[in-house]
Amino acid sequence: MASNICLWLWFSYITSLHVIFTLALSDNYIIHMNLSDMPKSFSNQHSWYESTLAQVTTTNNNLNNSTSSKIFYTYTNVMNGFSANLSPEEHESLKTFSGFISSIPDLPLKLDTTHSPQFLGLNPYRGAWPTSDFGKDIIVGVIDTGVWPESESFRDDGMTKIPSKWKGQLCQFENSNIQSINLSLCNKKLIGARFFNKGFLAKHSNISTTILNSTRDTNGHGTHTSTTAAGSKVDGASFFGYANGTARGIASSSRVAIYKTAWGKDGDALSSDIIAAIDAAISDGVDILSISLGSDDLLLYKDPVAIATFAAMEKGIFVSTSAGNNGPSFKSIHNGIPWVITVAAGTLDREFLGTVTLGNGVSLTGLSFYLGNFSANNFPIVFMGMCDNVKELNTVKRKIVVCEGNNETLHEQMFNVYKAKVVGGVFISNILDINDVDNSFPSIIINPVNGEIVKAYIKSHNSNASSIANMSFKKTAFGVKSTPSVDFYSSRGPSNSCPYVLKPDITAPGTSILAAWPTNVPVSNFGTEVFNNFNLIDGTSMSCPHVAGVAALLKGAHNGWSPSSIRSAIMTTSDILDNTKEHIKDIGNGNRAATPFALGAGHINPNRALDPGLVYDIGVQDYINLLCALNFTQKNISAITRSSFNDCSKPSLDLNYPSFIAFSNARNSSRTTNEFHRTVTNVGEKKTTYFASITPIKGFRVTVIPNKLVFKKKNEKISYKLKIEGPRMTQKNKVAFGYLSWRDGKHVVRSPIVVTNINFNL
Ligand SMILES: *[C@@H]1O[C@H](CO)[C@@H](O)[C@H](O)[C@H]1NC(C)=O
Ligand SMILES: *[C@@H]1O[C@H](CO)[C@@H](O)[C@H](O)[C@H]1NC(C)=O
Ligand SMILES: *[C@@H]1O[C@H](CO)[C@@H](O)[C@H](O)[C@H]1NC(C)=O
Ligand SMILES: *[C@@H]1O[C@H](CO)[C@@H](O)[C@H](O)[C@H]1NC(C)=O
Ligand SMILES: *[C@@H]1O[C@H](CO)[C@@H](O)[C@H](O)[C@H]1NC(C)=O
Ligand SMILES: *[C@@H]1O[C@H](CO)[C@@H](O)[C@H](O)[C@H]1NC(C)=O
Ligand SMILES: *[C@@H]1O[C@H](CO)[C@@H](O)[C@H](O)[C@H]1NC(C)=O
Ligand SMILES: *[C@@H]1O[C@H](CO)[C@@H](O)[C@H](O)[C@H]1NC(C)=O
Ligand SMILES: *[C@@H]1O[C@H](CO)[C@@H](O)[C@H](O)[C@H]1NC(C)=O
Ligand SMILES: *[C@@H]1O[C@H](CO)[C@@H](O)[C@H](O)[C@H]1NC(C)=O
Ligand SMILES: CC(=O)N[C@H]1CO[C@H](CO)[C@@H](O)[C@@H]1O
């Protein structure tokens, strides 16, 4: 996506500034320490870290001992350790001190840049919305670019008092770095706002003057994601007339706490700040975290999101993360972390249209995303072929031009027509993607069938040049067929950091999402700067907060459920059929059926997730068993779990996950054989019997033992075994998949099963 390219450029820019102007070779590090080694004389961790670092400096006698300012964060919830700016000598020296476990460099993370509630089947009178009271006492923490607190989506009209479990005290906006919550821009909806830029400033001291010490969103991303998850209801929202209607977050009564970690115009974020933000969110008492950013493909014990969210999971906090926008190739996913939910992005059933009406009264509709207020009345219309002759185009100024080239030249055709400053352009193409539609001048894309009608009309009026047309814009249509589909950009699995857990987990709406936007940040997709308090944007950044919102509703309805139970409920009840009753398609793979590497378990269905029947629950030790089986060292595991000792007596890659992934690339084997063990918990009716059924995988035999589960009471657990047998997959055939469904007449508990020969390197 374009926004990712900008981000990359921004990173390079920062890096070069750093090298050229600051000269010092010091850099930021995140240091893990072993609390068992802390001498009794220290009253707290921070003073021990300070003292250790002071000794490090005196041993490096060529350096000044301004050590306390070098530690910019001491972490308490998510890890035992701190982050500091150190010279290479100091870093080496620190490694020799008692208590040092390991260090990781402070790396940058990428942002994964309203009709959607209805599209998800949410309804005010039944299902997840009323059952959860719209997520009333649930607190959603959002780690992002900050927030625009004045947005109408943060109005708290009619909201009850802030739940007492909330411990957050800060509402930090400019001119009021530490302000008490009653005197601030926060309210009963936006209950906390904090910023974390110490790591960013330590790394890029040169730009400190341009960084506002405030949670205010100067990018727009955080305002959009937080209001998607839990924005209040706002009537009359629209994007220049498109997508008009009521905008509301998925959990419109939940509370929002914002943690700003992404800085600069393009949202540059550093691990040290993100870890500090998650650390703070845990102390503050959030129930749900939404993290629409990630670092590419790191080992779990080096991945800041993996490290910080392990502690969140232990505290019962549900974490939603974005899969990334690097699709559609395999292994492009980030945040493939076993203890979070990883969200892919799909399309909505909505399309933006314009109409061209010919002089003979025939009206033809096509894709249009023109944002201006012009509509063309009775202008001459001419056919200009491929619109590649700019000179010729320049001679038709007061006319509507019709162009017909191929898909590849569409952008060029549009650019030529735009430059020629004609009245408007009608482009004949079967392209389907709104992102391909220029919105800065009056244009409509019509399909080839309608294109023939327009051409015939113009031709018949050729002799006396009397062909005329009108153009009108800003029509929003719903019920578009073959939706949802997994969109092109959405990152695909398997996860490099832990391929044994099938990722992504779920798909949610990510394309053309309307949500709140800062009034002083230009909205995207426009030639000149224009402003609006709502914006339509795309990305797994947008699908991630949808899932955070749904999790808030589920937590509101089922307070005792663990994060893994909520994730299981979301996955096993999702949809795999689109609105034409066919398997959901993958736009990035020629509109063929989307494999679980694109779709995950399916497309989220909040009302069904409310009552999943069975859940696959996972405890902390289960995750540790997985880390042990990945052959990580005790030190590596400690970096994630914070324990000085981790029990690795039962290593297992077979996590109790609601999905199955089998690898068919064992070096010396002509066959694929994989066995999985699962335990399901009955969260539905007291007495019930489930039967297994398998959607076959061509060429493979899948068996389930037992294939009947008889539950006698609620919360009873029963185990079963699933076995996949078949030939070794050919190189050509990379992915085969099917489904296991447990049915009791009321519930369908469905899990995807994938067999693959995709290689991965750990
Ligand atoms: C150490 O301190 C001296 C005097 O305070 C200063 O001139 C020098 O730049 C400092 N060196 C470093 C590496 O910070
Ligand atoms: C460094 O610390 C020592 C004692 O810890 C002190 O005597 C000395 O003055 C300090 N040096 C500087 C440059 O601050
Ligand atoms: C923000 O605070 C830091 C210290 O934490 C300071 O160095 C910086 O100058 C401040 N920036 C602005 C724009 O006030
Ligand atoms: C959106 O605007 C159109 C045209 O003005 C109108 O017909 C339609 O009812 C509006 N839709 C909603 C949901 O307000
Ligand atoms: C143009 O792109 C659309 C998808 O947007 C595709 O369905 C169609 O086949 C393409 N046409 C040609 C001629 O390549
Ligand atoms: C122009 O030609 C079209 C058909 O060729 C005819 O219907 C129309 O009346 C003509 N207009 C004039 C002004 O002659
Ligand atoms: C871990 O090491 C064992 C023994 O060397 C090996 O059999 C196994 O495949 C390794 N596991 C992974 C996930 O690499
Ligand atoms: C992980 O283990 C390797 C091998 O022992 C070690 O070099 C590395 O420092 C460890 N990393 C972390 C973050 O624990
Ligand atoms: C932490 O320190 C304790 C006591 O010294 C030791 O037993 C343990 O192995 C250490 N843990 C790690 C991960 O280094
Ligand atoms: C492959 O496995 C078979 C037995 O399962 C063994 O006889 C053979 O030597 C193995 N081949 C290699 C190359 O390891
Ligand atoms: C963003 C910023 O403030 N850049 C400055 C960094 O420092 C150099 C040299 O002092 C300036 O020229 C840049 O403008």
Side-chain angles (χ1 to χ4, degrees):
M1 293 245 85
S3 65
N4 264 351
I5 296 166
C6 294
L7 261 169
W8 185 83
L9 290 172
W10 172 250
F11 289 142
S12 337
Y13 176 64
I14 301 269
T15 312
S16 48
L17 274 180
H18 185 59
V19 171
I20 298 165
F21 299 117
T22 62
L23 289 172
L25 291 165
S26 68
D27 206 344
N28 291 356
Y29 295 92
I30 297 158
I31 317 291
H32 291 275
M33 298 289 283
N34 188 344
L35 270 197
S36 311
D37 287 340
M38 182 168 91
K40 296 268 179 302
S41 53
F42 290 100
S43 56
N44 61 51
Q45 285 161 264
H46 184 72
S47 55
W48 178 42
Y49 304 151
E50 288 276 359
S51 156
T52 305
L53 212 53
Q55 292 174 55
V56 166
T57 322
T58 38
T59 53
N60 284 268
N61 51 19
N62 57 335
L63 293 153
N64 293 345
N65 41 358
S66 54
T67 54
S68 64
S69 65
K70 287 180 181 246
I71 292 186
F72 48 82
Y73 292 117
T74 292
Y75 304 115
T76 51
N77 295 306
V78 300
M79 54 178 268
N80 296 318
F82 58 93
S83 47
N85 193 270
L86 303 172
S87 68
E89 296 79 14
E90 289 171 320
H91 184 220
E92 281 313 306
S93 163
L94 179 63
K95 291 180 179 173
T96 66
F97 278 78
S98 155
F100 174 91
I101 299 181
S102 61
S103 69
I104 54 172
D106 192 7
L107 295 173
L109 280 81
K110 276 191 216 163
L111 293 176
D112 296 317
T113 318
T114 21
H115 168 69
S116 47
Q118 283 81 358
F119 182 65
L120 294 177
L122 288 165
N123 173 309
Y125 307 107
R126 50 170 201 277
W129 268 353
T131 307
S132 68
D133 219 345
F134 299 81
K136 185 165 137 265
D137 282 336
I138 303 301
I139 301 165
V140 180
V142 182
I143 311 290
D144 214 298
T145 62
V147 75
W148 190 258
E150 294 86 358
S151 166
E152 277 187 278
S153 295
F154 292 114
R155 287 180 58 163
D156 67 351
D157 307 22
M159 290 191 78
T160 53
K161 70 178 196 342
I162 297 170
S164 59
K165 66 184 169 188
W166 178 244
K167 300 284 179 281
Q169 295 295 317
L170 299 177
C171 183
Q172 300 174 309
F173 287 99
E174 60 278 13
N175 304 326
S176 56
N177 277 356
I178 296 179
Q179 207 177 44
S180 114
I181 202 157
N182 298 330
L183 303 168
S184 68
L185 291 167
C186 292
N187 59 17
K188 287 182 268 187
K189 174 72 180 180
L190 177 61
I191 62 172
R194 302 176 65 169
F195 66 89
F196 298 85
N197 61 10
K198 289 181 183 159
F200 193 80
L201 293 176
K203 192 150 177 145
H204 313 300
S205 49
N206 181 273
I207 63 169
S208 67
T209 50
T210 64
I211 297 297
L212 204 58
N213 287 314
S214 167
T215 313
R216 183 168 295 279
D217 187 2
T218 52
N219 172 290
H221 192 273
T223 303
H224 199 279
T225 56
S226 55
T227 57
T228 297
S232 300
K233 184 166 169 271
V234 180
D235 293 322
S238 92
F239 188 67
F240 300 96
Y242 292 102
N244 60 333
T246 300
R248 74 194 299 172
I250 298 290
S252 57
S253 295
S254 289
R255 323 298 172 133
V256 179
I258 305 288
Y259 300 85
K260 174 164 178 154
T261 59
W263 299 95
K265 197 166 138 283
D266 297 295
D268 192 358
L270 277 180
S271 310
S272 57
D273 292 327
I274 285 164
I275 295 175
I278 297 174
D279 200 86
I282 293 173
S283 296
D284 288 349
V286 303
D287 298 301
I288 311 285
L289 272 174
S290 185
I291 308 178
S292 286
L293 38 76
S295 47
D296 282 335
D297 200 27
L298 293 172
L299 288 162
L300 291 173
Y301 55 80
K302 289 186 181 170
D303 179 344
V305 177
I307 293 170
T309 56
F310 193 90
M313 172 275 292
E314 284 182 300
K315 295 244 159 53
I317 298 168
F318 179 91
V319 183
S320 180
T321 66
S322 48
N325 301 342
N326 296 321
S329 53
F330 291 128
K331 299 197 285 184
S332 50
I333 201 164
H334 62 200
N335 293 323
I337 302 164
W339 42 90
V340 306
I341 196 164
T342 313
V343 187
T347 57
L348 288 178
D349 67 337
R350 180 178 65 194
E351 125 187 310
F352 303 129
L353 305 172
T355 302
V356 50
T357 305
L358 305 174
N360 61 9
V362 172
S363 272
L364 304 164
T365 295
L367 287 184
S368 177
F369 200 33
Y370 170 59
L371 303 184
N373 291 319
F374 177 77
S375 54
N377 282 320
N378 293 328
F379 281 94
I381 182 167
V382 290
F383 181 60
M384 300 297 289
M386 292 171 70
C387 291
D388 53 354
N389 189 332
V390 178
K391 252 194 195 151
E392 225 171 84
L393 283 171
N394 279 329
T395 66
V396 294
K397 290 252 183 283
R398 301 281 301 155
K399 293 179 177 153
I400 295 169
V401 303
V402 179
C403 309
E404 185 174 30
N406 52 37
N407 281 357
E408 285 66 42
T409 63
L410 184 61
H411 283 204
E412 196 185 318
Q413 296 168 45
M414 287 190 154
F415 191 60
N416 292 343
V417 171
Y418 164 74
K419 275 194 309 195
K421 297 202 163 51
V422 298
V423 171
V426 175
F427 301 87
I428 302 171
S429 167
N430 53 7
I431 219 141
L432 303 165
D433 189 352
I434 192 73
N435 290 316
D436 287 307
V437 183
D438 193 310
N439 57 20
S440 59
F441 74 101
S443 66
I444 298 173
I445 299 181
I446 58 173
N447 67 33
V449 173
N450 288 340
E452 290 308 316
I453 297 170
V454 173
K455 275 160 49 187
Y457 166 76
I458 294 172
K459 203 168 172 193
S460 69
H461 293 69
N462 224 0
S463 52
N464 57 10
S466 64
S467 54
I468 54 163
N470 297 345
M471 288 175 88
S472 61
F473 303 93
K474 302 196 176 175
K475 297 181 173 56
T476 303
F478 298 100
V480 173
K481 287 301 174 199
S482 262
T483 46
S485 295
V486 179
D487 214 336
F488 190 87
Y489 59 82
S490 185
S491 289
R492 290 357 188 229
S495 155
N496 271 314
S497 59
C498 187
Y500 310 98
V501 173
L502 178 58
K503 292 278 176 172
D505 295 304
I506 195 79
T507 296
T511 298
S512 297
I513 304 301
L514 185 75
W517 198 253
T519 47
N520 70 346
V521 177
V523 294
S524 55
N525 299 322
F526 207 79
T528 54
E529 286 201 337
V530 287
F531 301 88
N532 193 37
N533 43 14
F534 287 85
N535 197 3
L536 269 175
I537 50 178
D538 300 343
T540 53
S541 276
M542 283 64 245
S543 58
C544 166
H546 277 89
V547 175
V550 170
L553 298 178
L554 295 184
K555 187 126 184 163
H558 302 286
N559 202 15
W561 281 10
S562 66
S564 59
S565 296
I566 294 176
R567 176 176 58 195
S568 174
I570 289 173
M571 288 171 68
T572 62
T573 59
S574 61
D575 295 319
I576 53 169
L577 301 183
D578 64 18
N579 61 359
T580 66
K581 299 277 174 267
E582 286 181 17
H583 195 281
I584 290 173
K585 308 284 196 310
D586 182 350
I587 293 174
N589 185 21
N591 277 315
R592 283 187 275 272
T595 77
F597 287 141
L599 180 65
H603 191 270
I604 193 164
N605 184 325
N607 291 332
R608 271 214 308 270
L610 205 56
D611 180 21
L614 304 175
V615 294
Y616 293 77
D617 196 11
I618 303 177
V620 175
Q621 184 59 42
D622 300 322
Y623 291 117
I624 295 174
N625 293 345
L626 174 75
L627 298 174
C628 301
L630 289 170
N631 292 337
F632 290 175
T633 64
Q634 275 287 329
K635 281 187 179 188
N636 291 160
I637 299 173
S638 289
I640 297 166
T641 64
R642 312 176 309 291
S643 308
S644 49
F645 174 75
N646 299 287
D647 178 1
C648 277
S649 58
K650 288 181 190 142
S652 171
L653 292 174
D654 190 15
L655 193 65
N656 194 38
Y657 218 77
S659 58
F660 302 88
I661 178 167
F663 291 94
S664 175
N665 49 5
R667 263 193 206 90
N668 180 23
S669 169
S670 58
R671 297 197 54 75
T672 302
T673 311
N674 273 265
E675 208 174 280
F676 303 88
H677 297 262
R678 294 287 184 273
T679 302
V680 284
T681 309
N682 176 24
V683 294
E685 256 51 345
K686 282 181 179 134
K687 275 173 83 168
T688 182
T689 303
Y690 281 85
F691 296 91
S693 66
I694 298 283
T695 312
I697 308 177
K698 203 165 165 250
F700 293 89
R701 203 169 93 99
V702 181
T703 43
V704 181
I705 302 164
N707 61 7
K708 177 179 164 190
L709 307 176
V710 182
F711 290 94
K712 296 193 186 62
K713 55 180 195 289
K714 194 168 177 169
N715 292 325
E716 185 180 352
K717 290 178 189 283
I718 300 183
S719 299
Y720 70 88
K721 198 166 79 181
L722 180 136
K723 198 169 174 184
I724 302 171
E725 293 164 287
R728 186 176 174 180
M729 283 177 94
T730 60
Q731 236 11 73
K732 217 173 96 214
N733 207 2
K734 291 210 167 295
V735 185
F737 70 98
Y739 296 94
L740 159 67
S741 302
W742 288 103
R743 291 187 165 83
D744 73 342
K746 182 169 180 225
H747 306 95
V748 180
V749 187
R750 195 195 55 246
S751 292
I753 307 169
V754 169
V755 185
T756 181
N757 62 359
I758 293 173
N759 286 311
F760 51 87
N761 8 305
L762 270 177

